[in-house]
Structure formats: C-alpha cells, structure tokens
C-alpha cells in the first residue's frame, strides 16, 4: 500500500469523510463574513470599529497559510489520517473557543486555530488522493475534492443565513464543533485507551465552562469558587482555568505516543518550518490587515515585508545547511512543479477580483445589502465546482497545460466582458452567463494544477507540495486584492478629480444633486472595470504560463 495510506479496508470512505470536512471548513470562511457584524457586537465592538475587528479575518488567514507547509510535511511523515484527525481536533477547539469567547483576543485565538485546522485538511486530503490513485487516473478525484472545497463557498453564505435567521451567531461555531468532532471520531485510525477520550472530553467541557462561566454556577457561593480569578478579571486565570490546562496536557500525553513525537522531531525540519511560517506571516499581515478601499497594504506593511524578506533569506541559508530541509533540494526543480506554483499564484490574483469586486459592482449598481450582493456572486460560485469536476475528467484525455490554459483563458475573456458592464448589466441574463462561464473557467484549472505538481514530485512529499499549491494561491489572493484595488482606486480618483462640485452642477439644490451622485457612481463602476481588466491580464498570463510550463502530462514521478 502507498506511503501514508491508512491501513484499513475502507480508505476511500475516509477520503469521502475528509472531503466533507474540507467542504465544511471552506464554508466556515464565508459564514463568518455574514456573521461579522453580530460577532463584533458579541465581543464589545461597535459597527464603526471595523478596523479593530480586522484580526478576526487576518487571524484565520494567518493560521490557514503560515502553518500549512509544516502540516503538509507532517502529513508526509506521520500519515494522512492522523493529520486529518488532528486538524479536525484543532478546528473543533478553535470553534469552541470562538463560540464561548467573551472578548476580541479569544475570538482571534479561536479563529487562528480554526484556520490552522481548516487549512491542514486540504493538503492531507489532496495527498490522500495521490496515494489512492495512480498518476494517470488521479485527475478526476482531485477535481472532485476541488469541487467539494468550492462547494463550501456556495453553502457557506446559505448556512450562515439559515443559522442567523433562527439563532445567535455563536451557534454557527457550536455547529462547527459538533460536525468536527463527529468527523474526527469517524476518521480516527486507531483506537486509543478509553481514558484518553474521557480526559479529552473532560478537558473540552472544562474549557467550555471556563470561557462561558454560566451564571448559575459562577454566582453560587460554593460552586462559584472555581470561577473566581486569582487576579484581574480574566476567566482563564481561575482555578477551573488551571484545571482545564492540566487536563489538556494530560490528554496530550495520553494521546501522543513518545515514539511518534521523537520521529516527527527527527524527520521534520522545525527551524525551517518556523522561518517559512514567519516569512509567510509577514506577507499575510502586510496585506490582510490593510483597508483595501484606501491602501495597498497596512501602514506597517513595508516593515512587515522587510521582515518577511529577512526570514526568507534566513530560510534559504538554513536550507543549505540542514540535511532534512522543510523543502528538500530539487523538490521543485521540474518545470511542472514550480510552474504549478506560479500558475496557482496568478490564479489567486485573478480569482480574488471576482470574489470581492463582483459583489462591489452589484452593490454599486443595484444597491441592496451584503446578502443581495452575495446572491449575485453565487452565480459565479455555483459554476466553480462544476468546472472542477469537468477539469478533472478531462485530464485523462487532454494535456494538463491545455486544460488549465483553456479554463483560464475563458475566465480572462469573461473578465474582459465585465469591463464593459453598465449600470443595468446585472438585470440581464447575459451577465449571469458571463459569471457562470467565468466560474466554470476557474474551476477547470483546479484539478490540472494539482495533478501537475503531484505528478512531478515524489510521493513522499505529496503532503508538502499540496500545501505549497494552496499557499501560493492564497498569497496570490492577498497580493491580488491589494494590487488590483490600488489600480481601481487610481482610476476612481482620476475620474472624481474631474467631477464638478455639487455647487457647480446644482447651484439651486447642491445637497440633493443627482448628477453629482450619478458621476460618483460612474466613477465607482469605472473602478471595478479597471480591477476586472487587471484580473483579465492575470488570468491570460496564467493561461499562457500553464500551457508552457505544465506540459502535456506533467508526470515525472509515478
């Protein structure tokens, strides 16, 4: 049996469960976008303090991206299923902390752990596909996994709207907790001693009680003593908080075998993984903490990028010294391998324009709120998983570069059409067709890119390279949203500077000057046009490079 394949009789059933977990984690990203206003209110932030809430989003992205290469490498050493179970446990703990959080730092901590767990599911699942199918047949199952992941982005807003319609925002994360625990139990590879599960359950209950501090218990004269802080007001610095920490440590000791920990330390380049995580963190924080409507990167962005560059240089120096580098020498030497990362980065740059600016265009031209704009984007998102399955199916008949290039060229052409959209474009079916074709084009590229890098690298590194593809795409999305928004803002301000003031246009009633409002709306539409044009350039460039770099098969190692 291939390296990392669980020694069970039902590995494909585990792949199904892993795919469900990937979809649910993907859905959680979009659920939070809808729940953000209520979540801010729940931790004491007002609606005008959106900038203070930015760590809720950036914390998730930081966990999702920065730790991903390390998790991918662990999946190569420890096996796919243990990493899947561990990622689900982290996701569950993060969900529990977020659901019970009473302040912003706890929410950010919970979201960070959710990001680490949710992100860790993807490379382990992709590597599991590579273990179960030979190189020439894994395109379709990779397409199915990609489709399931993108399906999460479709279901996320619907799930969030359904939960928020009947319950508090915290129930979103309680639901996450339940689903993650159930999937982890179903996926577990080997039975642990019964006391290990009992201690883990007790630790989870204690953590929930610590954070929520139920009024009936905390206010009781006797039962409330464990909830009295040693100092200050922190609920963690209490007797029950300390007991939770002790129970967590005991559970870790009972669950993690000493031989496994020693093996991981010996085989995984922890210093290299730390340097890579710090470099990626600098990039993530430089762009994720910026206000895309006003700035290319955060005020501290230049310094964060300098720090990222320093850590990157240190990583290169370390990689040359250590015999067990986090990214082994020559791993990405094959053209389809490094080509997949380049194409994935450019796909992220273009894809983010649709995810962010299609809703912006909808709000600008049609009004309405976040939900109405999300429903417009849904037309694009529905076609993504369909394209992913079709792209995976086509990999057995046509070259990887050809399929990827055709899909991205189609997406780029649809972006070109979007640059000519007027105020009433979304009222016509033609706009729906454009969004469907654009999403379908992006979907076509998902499986061939993953197939190319998995085929061009040794099986012993499939977890790591799967993580690198995801990281490249996510970093591309972060850089793309900032760069393209900067281009759009430049167009916007260039137009606005030439717009006469309301006093000049409507001297009789400047306060209600309709021509001035229309001029600003036209400037905002031109801004999205510029962003769509930039996305088209990225998509076309990615298409050209895909044809040139991914090749006909992209298979070197089998």
């Amino acid at each position: 049996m291939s390296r990392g394949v669980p020694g069970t009789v039902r590995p494909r059933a585990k792949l199904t469960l892993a795919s469900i977990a990937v979809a649910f984690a993907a859905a959680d990203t979009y659920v939070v976008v809808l729940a953000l206003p209520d979540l801010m209110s729940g931790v004491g932030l007002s609606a005008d303090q959106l900038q203070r809430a930015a760590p809720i989003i950036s914390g998730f992205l930081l966990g999702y991206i920065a730790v991903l290469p390390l998790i991918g490498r662990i999946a190569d050493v420890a096996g796919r299923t243990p990493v899947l179970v561990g990622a689900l446990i982290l996701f569950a703990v993060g969900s529990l902390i977020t659901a019970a959080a009473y302040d912003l730092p706890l929410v950010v901590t919970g979201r960070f752990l959710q990001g680490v767990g949710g992100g860790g599911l993807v490379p382990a699942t992709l590597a599991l596909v590579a273990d179960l199918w030979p190189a020439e047949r894994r395109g379709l199952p990779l397409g199915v996994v990609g489709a399931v992941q993108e399906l999460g982005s479709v279901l996320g807003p619907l799930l969030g709207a359904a939960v928020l319609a009947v319950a508090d925002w915290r129930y979103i994360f309680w639901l996450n907790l339940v689903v993650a625990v159930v999937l982890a139990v179903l996926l577990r590879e080997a039975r642990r001693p019964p006391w290990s599960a009992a201690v883990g359950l007790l630790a989870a209950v204690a953590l929930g009680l610590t954070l929520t501090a139920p009024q009936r218990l905390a206010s009781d004269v006797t039962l409330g003593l464990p909830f009295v802080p040693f100092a200050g007001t922190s609920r963690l610095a209490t007797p029950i908080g300390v007991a939770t920490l002790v129970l967590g440590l005991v559970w870790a000791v009972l669950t993690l075998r000493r031989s496994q920990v020693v093996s991981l330390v010996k085989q995984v380049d922890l210093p290299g993984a730390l340097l890579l995580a710090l470099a990626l963190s600098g990039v993530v924080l430089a762009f994720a903490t910026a206000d895309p409507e006003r700035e290319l990167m955060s005020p501290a962005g230049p310094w964060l990028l300098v720090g990222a560059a320093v850590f990157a240089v240190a990583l290169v120096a370390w990689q040359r010294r250590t015999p067990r580098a986090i990214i082994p020498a020559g791993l990405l030497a094959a053209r389809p391998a490094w080509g997949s990362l380049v194409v994935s980065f450019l796909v992220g740059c273009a894809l983010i324009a649709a995810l962010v600016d299609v809703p912006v265009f909808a709000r600008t031209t049609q009004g309405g709120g976040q939900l109405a704009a999300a429903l417009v984007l849904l037309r694009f998102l529905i076609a993504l998983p369909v394209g992913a399955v079709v792209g995976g199916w086509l990999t057995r008949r046509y070259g990887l570069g050809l399929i990827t290039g055709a899909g991205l060229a189609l997406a780029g052409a649809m972006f070109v059409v979007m640059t000519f959209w007027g105020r009433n474009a979304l009222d016509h079916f033609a706009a729906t067709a454009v969004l469907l074709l654009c999403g379908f084009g992006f979907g076509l590229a998902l499986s061939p890119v993953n197939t190319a890098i998995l085929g061009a690298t040794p099986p012993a590194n499939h977890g790591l390279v799967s993580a690198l593809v995801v990281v490249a795409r996510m970093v591309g999305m972060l850089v793309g949203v900032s760069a393209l928004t900067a281009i759009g803002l430049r167009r916007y301000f260039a137009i606005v500077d030439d717009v006469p003031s309301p006093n000049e246009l409507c001297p009789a009633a400047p306060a209600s000057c309709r021509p001035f409002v229309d001029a600003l709306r036209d400037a905002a539409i031109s801004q999205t046009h510029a962003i769509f044009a930039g996305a088209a350039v990225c998509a076309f460039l990615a298409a050209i490079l895909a044809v040139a770099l991914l090749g006909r098969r992209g298979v070197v190692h089998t």
Side-chain angles (χ1 to χ4, degrees), residues 229-541:
F230 298 118
T233 59
S234 174
R235 296 179 185 176
L236 298 175
T238 58
I240 192 172
V242 173
T244 300
L245 176 61
V246 172
L247 286 171
L249 292 175
V250 171
W251 174 81
V253 170
L254 292 174
T255 304
L256 299 176
R257 297 173 181 172
R258 183 175 179 273
S259 59
Q260 292 176 330
V261 175
V262 173
S263 176
L264 281 176
V265 172
K266 288 182 177 180
Q267 297 184 62
V268 176
D269 177 19
L270 293 180
L274 176 60
L275 290 172
L276 180 56
L278 290 172
L280 290 173
S281 297
V283 175
V284 171
L285 294 176
F287 293 102
T289 57
D291 182 354
E293 295 185 0
R294 296 184 301 174
E295 54 196 9
L296 174 63
M297 63 180 69
S298 67
W303 293 107
L304 288 169
L305 291 182
V306 169
V310 171
F311 287 121
V313 171
L315 173 64
V316 172
W318 172 258
Q319 296 281 277
R320 292 178 177 177
R321 291 182 52 191
T322 179
R324 47 187 176 83
I326 184 70
I327 303 177
L331 176 64
L332 304 174
R335 188 170 62 180
W338 62 265
S340 297
L341 299 183
V342 174
V343 172
S344 186
F345 174 84
L346 290 172
V347 167
C349 290
L351 179 61
I352 194 65
L355 298 178
V356 172
D357 290 287
V358 166
V360 170
F361 183 87
R363 288 194 298 268
T364 301
T365 58
Q366 295 188 322
Q370 182 78 12
L371 181 58
L375 292 176
V376 173
L377 181 63
L378 200 61
R379 308 172 195 177
F380 171 88
L381 295 174
I382 286 175
L384 259 175
V386 177
V389 174
V390 173
W393 177 72
L394 290 174
T395 56
R396 296 185 62 181
R397 292 162 175 79
Y398 302 97
L400 302 180
L402 179 62
I403 300 169
T404 307
L408 294 175
L410 175 61
M414 294 304 101
F415 275 128
V416 172
V417 174
M418 292 181 200
T419 63
F420 293 97
W421 276 356
R423 295 184 188 179
N424 301 319
L426 295 178
D427 296 334
H428 305 287
F429 176 76
T432 298
V434 168
L435 290 172
L436 289 173
L437 288 173
C438 190
F440 183 80
F442 276 114
L444 282 178
L446 294 180
S447 174
V449 171
N450 289 324
T451 302
I453 196 167
L454 288 171
T457 51
N461 297 112
H462 280 168
L464 173 62
V465 296
S466 296
L468 293 179
V469 169
V470 177
V471 168
R473 179 173 151 186
M474 296 297 294
V475 171
M477 293 175 74
L478 288 173
V479 175
V481 71
S482 295
L484 294 177
T485 302
I487 293 172
L489 286 175
R490 185 174 181 179
R491 168 77 68 85
Y492 176 82
F493 289 121
I495 296 175
V496 168
D497 287 343
D498 294 330
V499 175
S501 68
N503 291 327
E504 294 176 303
L505 290 173
C506 309
S512 58
C513 184
R514 186 68 186 180
F516 180 74
V517 173
D518 289 341
L520 292 182
R521 179 180 296 176
D522 288 340
I525 292 174
S526 295
Q527 175 185 348
T528 58
H529 287 170
I531 292 173
F532 292 148
V537 171
C538 292
F540 285 135
L541 180 58

Side-chain angles (χ1 to χ4, degrees), residues 34-129:
L34 289 178
L36 187 59
D38 293 339
L39 196 156
M40 290 171 57
S41 175
V43 295
L45 297 179
S46 60
D48 59 352
Q49 292 180 300
L50 187 60
Q51 196 62 29
R52 285 191 60 195
I56 297 175
I57 304 298
S58 59
F60 181 88
L61 290 173
L62 191 63
Y64 197 101
I65 297 174
V67 192
L68 209 54
L70 174 61
I71 296 178
R73 179 59 184 146
I74 292 175
D76 290 328
V77 174
R80 318 306 186 200
T81 305
V83 169
L84 288 170
V85 174
L88 282 167
I89 291 174
L90 278 176
F91 187 81
V93 173
S95 299
L96 172 59
I97 293 174
T98 306
Y102 56 86
D103 59 14
L104 182 61
L106 275 175
V107 169
V108 173
T109 300
R111 292 296 291 160
F112 174 80
L113 292 176
Q114 280 190 302
V116 174
L121 293 169
V122 179
T125 303
L126 293 176
L128 185 57
V129 170

